[in-house]
Amino acid sequence: MAGYQASIQTRADARFVFTYLSRFDRAADWDPGVSAGAMLTPEPVGIGSRFRLDATFFGRTLPLVYEITVFDAPRRIVLTADAPTFRSTDTIVVTEAPEADGPGALVVYDAVLEAKGPLRIAGPLLGLLFRRIGDRAAAGLRERLNQVPPSLGAPS
């Protein structure tokens, strides 16, 4: 099992950030490892909403379908994707930024990748790779959220 956690502070409003991140197809806007995203179920977003992400692993594009399994608006969302060789569980928690840091939101992104089958023996190597992928995604998310005007403003 490989895990990754990042904390990202932004000046953007917490409710806006939660709404933006709950449309998980938007990961293509901020995660350099995702080339495309699409919402597969109709609005509104909630438990059971599904999103397809085309993710690049080892130079190959892998379509992943994420489903929201926990939706506690406007604070917490959990998404899972099952692939033949692994299961990914992403938990996103959005809170108001601590008062001392000024207005905005704090995002805690926690991702767990569980290898299946023969890939389980590659756990330590998978963990290193997953941290590199996570660092790039967190940097992209931080950059994207910091493009949002503090009052709200939707990223384009």
Side-chain angles (χ1 to χ4, degrees):
M1 180 164 50
Y4 181 82
Q5 188 176 75
S7 295
I8 299 164
Q9 189 155 345
T10 178
R11 299 165 301 149
D13 176 78
R15 286 186 180 271
F16 168 79
V17 170
F18 180 86
T19 300
Y20 177 74
L21 293 175
S22 69
R23 279 289 308 267
F24 203 57
D25 55 320
R26 292 180 178 146
D29 295 342
W30 50 265
D31 185 341
V34 176
S35 59
M39 186 167 180
L40 301 176
T41 52
E43 296 277 2
V45 173
I47 290 179
S49 292
R50 295 173 54 224
F51 307 90
R52 177 190 162 128
L53 300 182
D54 291 339
T56 303
F57 293 102
F58 303 111
R60 302 173 94 184
T61 300
L62 176 66
L64 297 173
V65 175
Y66 279 86
E67 182 172 337
I68 295 177
T69 56
V70 175
F71 189 78
D72 182 17
R75 187 177 182 289
R76 182 172 174 255
I77 186 168
V78 178
L79 302 110
T80 58
D82 272 308
T85 56
F86 65 87
R87 177 185 175 103
S88 178
T89 303
D90 294 34
T91 302
I92 304 167
V93 176
V94 180
T95 58
E96 296 290 334
E99 254 185 63
D101 296 326
L106 177 65
V107 177
V108 176
Y109 198 112
D110 187 8
V112 175
L113 193 65
E114 297 174 77
K116 296 179 182 178
L119 198 59
R120 283 187 286 187
I121 62 171
L125 180 60
L126 189 60
L128 290 171
L129 176 64
F130 195 47
R131 279 190 284 285
R132 290 185 68 202
I133 291 168
D135 284 344
R136 286 188 219 135
L141 180 57
R142 183 175 289 109
E143 181 179 332
R144 186 70 170 157
L145 291 177
N146 284 328
Q147 293 172 355
V148 177
S151 60
L152 200 73
S156 54

